[in-house]
Amino acid sequence: MGTQPRARMHATPEQFAGVVEFAGWSYRGLAEDVTRELRKEKRRPMIGCSHTTLSNLATGKTVWIHPRRAAAIERCLKLPPGHLFRIELFNVPENDGTAA
């Protein structure tokens, strides 16, 4: 069994939306900047960020995202690490070839 980290937003959706608005970002513009930030990590698998992900965080449709994406969002918003997201570990069963 392996462990997988996930970032959970501990801010409310309204707080997240307010921080984004206060920083002067649109969801699309922030998503592009977060994607640029993530692409600076040369030795890591490439991931990006979509404006839909940010919109879903702001409406409460989702509270879980990839930890690297969460860290990049906080950096782009110029917030200290852990201000919006907390990292949690989950046990994920190994794929044994059978459907669950």
Side-chain angles (χ1 to χ4, degrees):
M1 196 179 279
T3 38
Q4 295 287 324
R6 288 286 174 247
R8 187 178 205 288
M9 185 170 71
H10 66 87
T12 66
E14 294 80 15
Q15 288 170 330
F16 178 78
V19 167
V20 172
E21 182 179 347
F22 184 77
W25 287 104
S26 67
Y27 296 131
R28 189 173 302 275
L30 180 58
E32 290 170 0
D33 203 49
V34 169
T35 298
R36 274 192 294 276
E37 185 73 21
L38 289 165
R39 290 196 175 144
K40 291 178 185 176
E41 302 172 353
K42 299 287 186 200
R43 298 187 186 266
R44 308 291 303 268
M46 191 177 303
I47 63 172
C49 183
S50 72
H51 67 278
T52 304
T53 298
L54 299 175
S55 178
N56 287 343
L57 288 168
T59 60
K61 287 184 180 178
T62 188
V63 293
W64 297 100
I65 61 172
H66 193 281
R68 286 177 46 213
R69 192 173 287 126
I73 290 169
E74 289 177 331
R75 283 194 304 270
C76 291
L77 291 172
K78 297 180 179 24
L79 297 172
H83 190 78
L84 295 173
F85 300 96
R86 297 274 190 261
I87 305 299
E88 297 183 16
L89 296 176
F90 292 92
N91 287 324
V92 179
E94 298 291 327
N95 185 358
D96 61 2
T98 61

